[in-house]
C-alpha cells in the first residue's frame, strides 16, 4: 500500500502540490496566532494578557480562512483523483483500501505543509509581533516571540483537522463510487448537502442569531468597562458569517451561480455557453475556486465595515476614534488574504490536467482557439463574480448587525458599508485568476490535439 501511495503522488503530483502549498499557508496563519498565545502565556502579567488577547482575534480570522480554503482544496485534490482510484478498484484494490490510501495521502501532505508553515512561523513571528504592537508602551517592543510546542500543536493539529474536513468525505465518496461510474463521470455526484453538514449549518445559523440577540441584551445593562469589551467583539461578526456561508456552500453556491448566470442567456455566445456549462457542471472545482476569494473578500470588507460603522457612530457622539492601524490590519488580515491568493492559484494549478483534456476535446470537436480562450476566461470570471456576490452578502449583513449591536451605546448609529477595499480585492482577484487561467491555456494550444489527448 505504501508503494501505491507513493506511486500515486508521483503520477498525479499536480493535484496534491496545491494541498501542500495551501496547508503551509494555513499553518502560517494558525501558527502566528499560536505563537502570540504561547508568548503571552510565557510573558505573563498585563503585557502577556495583551498579547494573548491579540492571539484570539488572529486565530479567529486565520482559523476561519484555514478551515474554508484548506478543506475545499483537500476535497478538490481527492475528487480530481477519482479516475485513478477507479482504476485501482478495477485492478483489485478494495474500496476500504482505496479510502485508507487516500486518507494517508491527505494526512502526509497536510502534515508536510504544516511543517513548512511552522518553519515560516518561526521566521516571521518576531516581525509580526513587532508590527502588531508598534508604538505601544509597556515593553511590547522588547518582547521575544516564542514558537514552541504549543504553537506546533496548534499548527499540526489545526492543519490536519481542516484538511480531513474536506478530505475524509471526499475519500469515502471516492471509495464508494463504482469504478465504471467514476471513469464515465468526471464530476462526482452528490452535490446536495449531507445530513450532518445540514445540521451543522442549521446549528451555526441559529447560534449566530442567538449570540447577536444575547449580545444586544447584555449591552443594554452594560457598565462602562463591559461596554468597551462588548464593542471590541464586533469585528468577529464577519468571520462568523463567513463560516456559516462556507458551511452552507452545497446549498448556496450552486443555486446562486445558476441564478445569476441565467440572466445572460446561453445563446449570447458559444464561449459563454461553454463557460456557464463548465462552471455549473464542475461544482467541485467551482466550489474550490469560489471559496478562497469569498473568504478573503468577506474578511476584508467585513472588518472595514465594522470599523467604518463604529467610527462613524463614535465621531457623531463626539468621542475620539483612532480606527485600525495598518500594522494591525496586516496582522489580522494577512493570513486570510494570503490564503485567498494562494488558494485560488492552487486550484487553477491543480485543475490544469483536467482542463487540458477538456480543451483538447473542444479542439477535436471543432471549437476555435478564440472560443476556447474566451470560455476559459469567462469561467474564471464566473467564479470571481459568484464569490463577490456571496462576500457582498456577508458585508451587508455585517453592517446591519454591527449597527444593531452598537445601538445600545450609540442610538443614532447607521450601517456604513466599506465596499472599496473589497472591490479592489475582487478586481485584483479577477485579473490574477484570468491571467492564471489564460497563460496555461495559450501554452496548451500550441500542442496538437492528438498529443494533448494522449498525454491525459
Amino acid at each position: 500500500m505504501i508503494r501505491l501511495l507513493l506511486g500515486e503522488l508521483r503520477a498525479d503530483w499536480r493535484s496534491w502540490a496545491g494541498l501542500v502549498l495551501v496547508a503551509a499557508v494555513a499553518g502560517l496563519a494558525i501558527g502566528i496566532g499560536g505563537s502570540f498565545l504561547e508568548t503571552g502565556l510565557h510573558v505573563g502579567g498585563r503585557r502577556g494578557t495583551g498579547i494573548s488577547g491579540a492571539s484570539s482575534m488572529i486565530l479567529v480570522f486565520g482559523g476561519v480562512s484555514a478551515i474554508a480554503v484548506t478543506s475545499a482544496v483537500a476535497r478538490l485534490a481527492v475528487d480530481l483523483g477519482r479516475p485513478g482510484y477507479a482504476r485501482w478498484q478495477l485492478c483489485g484494490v478494495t474500496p476500504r483500501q482505496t479510502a485508507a490510501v487516500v486518507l494517508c495521502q491527505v494526512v502526509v501532505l497536510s502534515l508536510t505543509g504544516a511543517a513548512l508553515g511552522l518553519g515560516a512561523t518561526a521566521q516571521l513571528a518576531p516581525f509580526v509581533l513587532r508590527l502588531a504592537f508598534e508604538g505601544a508602551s509597556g515593553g511590547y517592543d522588547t518582547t521575544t516571540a516564542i514558537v514552541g510546542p504549543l504553537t506546533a500543536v496548534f499548527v499540526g493539529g489545526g492543519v490536519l483537522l481542516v484538511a480531513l474536513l474536506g478530505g475524509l468525505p471526499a475519500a469515502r465518496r471516492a471509495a464508494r463510487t463504482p469504478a465504471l461510474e467514476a471513469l464515465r463521470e468526471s464530476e462526482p455526484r452528490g452535490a446536495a448537502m449531507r445530513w450532518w453538514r445540514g445540521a451543522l449549518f442549521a446549528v451555526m445559523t441559529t447560534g449566530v442569531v442567538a449570540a447577536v440577540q444575547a449580545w444586544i441584551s447584555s449591552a443594554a445593562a452594560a457598565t462602562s468597562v463591559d461596554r468597551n469589551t462588548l464593542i471590541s467583539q464586533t469585528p468577529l461578526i464577519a468571520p462568523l458569517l463567513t463560516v456559516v456561508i462556507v458551511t452552507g456552500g452545497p446549498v448556496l453556491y450552486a443555486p446562486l451561480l445558476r441564478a445569476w448566470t441565467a440572466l445572460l442567456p446561453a445563446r449570447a455566445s458559444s464561449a459563454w455557453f461553454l463557460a456557464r456549462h463548465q462552471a455549473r457542471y464542475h461544482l467541485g472545482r467551482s466550489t474550490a475556486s469560489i471559496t478562497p476569494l469569498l473568504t478573503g473578500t468577506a474578511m476584508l470588507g467585513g472588518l472595514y465595515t465594522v470599523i467604518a460603522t463604529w467610527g462613524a457612530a463614535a465621531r457623531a457622539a463626539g468621542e475620539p476614534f483612532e480606527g485600525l492601524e495598518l500594522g494591525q490590519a496586516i496582522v489580522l488580515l494577512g493570513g486570510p488574504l494570503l490564503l485567498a491568493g494562494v488558494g485560488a492559484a492552487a486550484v487553477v494549478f491543480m485543475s490544469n490536467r483536467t482542463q487540458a483534456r477538456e480543451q483538447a476535446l473542444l479542439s477535436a470537436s471543432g471549437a476555435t482557439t478564440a472560443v476556447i480562450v474566451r470560455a476559459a476566461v469567462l469561467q474564471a470570471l464566473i467564479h470571481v463574480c459568484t464569490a463577490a456576490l456571496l462576500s457582498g452578502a456577508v458585508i451587508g449583513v455585517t453592517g446591519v448587525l454591527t449597527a444593531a449591536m452598537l445601538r445600545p451605546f450609540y442610538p443614532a448609529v447607521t450601517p456604513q458599508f466599506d465596499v472599496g477595499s473589497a472591490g479592489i480585492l475582487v478586481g485584483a482577484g479577477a485579473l490574477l485568476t484570468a491571467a492564471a487561467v489564460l497563460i496555461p491555456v495559450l501554452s496548451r494550444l500550441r500542442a496538437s490535439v492528438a498529443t494533448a489527448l494522449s498525454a491525459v
Side-chain angles (χ1 to χ4, degrees):
M1 298 301 291
I2 295 178
R3 293 179 59 186
L4 180 61
L5 185 152
L6 296 176
E8 174 63 20
L9 292 179
R10 286 195 302 267
D12 200 16
W13 63 273
R14 290 180 183 87
S15 298
W16 294 102
L19 176 58
V20 175
L21 183 59
V22 170
V25 178
L28 174 61
I30 297 174
I32 293 297
S35 175
F36 272 53
L37 178 60
E38 189 168 9
T39 302
L41 294 176
H42 177 78
V43 171
R46 185 174 181 180
R47 180 160 41 113
T49 302
I51 298 175
S52 299
S55 71
S56 61
M57 296 293 292
I58 298 173
L59 285 172
V60 168
F61 278 81
V64 167
S65 301
I67 291 171
V69 178
T70 308
S71 60
V73 171
R75 187 182 306 111
L76 177 65
V78 177
D79 288 340
L80 289 175
R82 289 175 70 251
Y85 308 144
R87 288 189 287 270
W88 293 1
Q89 296 184 40
L90 292 176
C91 294
V93 179
T94 65
R96 179 174 296 181
Q97 290 174 327
T98 300
V101 172
V102 174
L103 286 179
C104 285
Q105 290 175 326
V106 173
V107 170
V108 169
L109 295 177
S110 62
L111 290 179
T112 300
L116 295 175
L118 183 62
T121 300
Q123 299 298 318
L124 296 177
F127 168 75
V128 176
L129 183 61
R130 289 195 301 271
L131 190 64
F133 295 97
E134 186 176 6
S137 59
Y140 289 99
D141 55 341
T142 61
T143 304
T144 302
I146 297 176
V147 180
L150 180 61
T151 305
V153 170
F154 266 90
V155 173
V159 172
L160 180 60
L161 178 61
V162 298
L164 288 177
L165 284 176
L168 180 59
R172 295 178 60 187
R173 184 169 60 245
R176 292 177 177 178
T177 303
L180 293 178
E181 180 180 333
L183 290 172
R184 184 174 63 250
E185 298 288 344
S186 59
E187 180 72 13
R189 296 179 179 179
M193 183 182 292
R194 294 183 179 275
W195 69 267
W196 61 267
R197 190 164 183 172
L200 180 61
F201 177 60
V203 169
M204 293 186 66
T205 303
T206 305
V208 170
V209 173
V212 172
Q213 292 176 341
W215 197 101
I216 295 174
S217 299
S218 61
T223 64
S224 58
V225 177
D226 295 333
R227 173 181 180 273
N228 295 329
T229 302
L230 288 171
I231 292 178
S232 65
Q233 295 173 358
T234 52
L236 299 176
I237 298 174
L240 292 176
L241 292 177
T242 303
V243 171
V244 173
I245 294 292
V246 171
T247 304
V251 295
L252 297 176
Y253 289 12
L256 177 62
L257 190 151
R258 290 191 178 96
W260 83 260
T261 54
L263 298 176
L264 184 61
R267 62 178 180 274
S269 72
S270 55
W272 174 251
F273 170 80
L274 291 172
R276 191 175 76 167
H277 174 76
Q278 293 282 43
R280 291 178 173 185
Y281 178 72
H282 293 291
L283 290 177
R285 193 191 308 167
S286 296
T287 298
S289 299
I290 292 168
T291 299
L293 186 58
L294 158 66
T295 305
T297 307
M299 295 284 192
L300 178 64
L303 178 60
Y304 276 97
T305 291
V306 170
I307 298 301
T309 303
W310 182 3
R315 285 188 290 268
E319 298 179 2
F321 185 80
E322 298 179 357
L324 192 66
E325 299 292 337
L326 178 60
Q328 296 171 336
I330 293 175
V331 172
L332 287 178
L333 297 173
L337 295 182
L338 190 59
L339 272 168
V342 172
V347 170
V348 173
F349 180 76
M350 294 165 64
S351 306
N352 185 56
R353 187 175 179 181
T354 302
Q355 290 176 334
R357 181 176 184 274
E358 294 171 352
Q359 289 162 11
L361 290 172
L362 288 175
S363 296
S365 62
T368 64
T369 299
V371 169
I372 294 175
V373 171
R374 286 199 299 268
V377 174
L378 286 173
Q379 184 179 351
L381 294 180
I382 286 174
H383 296 153
V384 172
C385 290
T386 305
L389 291 173
L390 289 167
S391 59
V394 172
I395 293 171
V397 176
T398 297
V400 173
L401 290 181
T402 301
M405 294 168 70
L406 292 177
R407 193 157 287 121
F409 310 117
Y410 304 100
V413 64
T414 57
Q416 304 291 319
F417 304 103
D418 189 316
V419 297
S421 55
I424 293 173
L425 182 58
V426 169
L431 291 176
L432 293 175
T433 304
V437 170
L438 190 58
I439 293 172
V441 168
L442 293 176
S443 64
R444 287 193 295 262
L445 290 174
R446 299 177 182 176
S448 67
V449 175
T451 302
L453 288 174
S454 63
V456 293

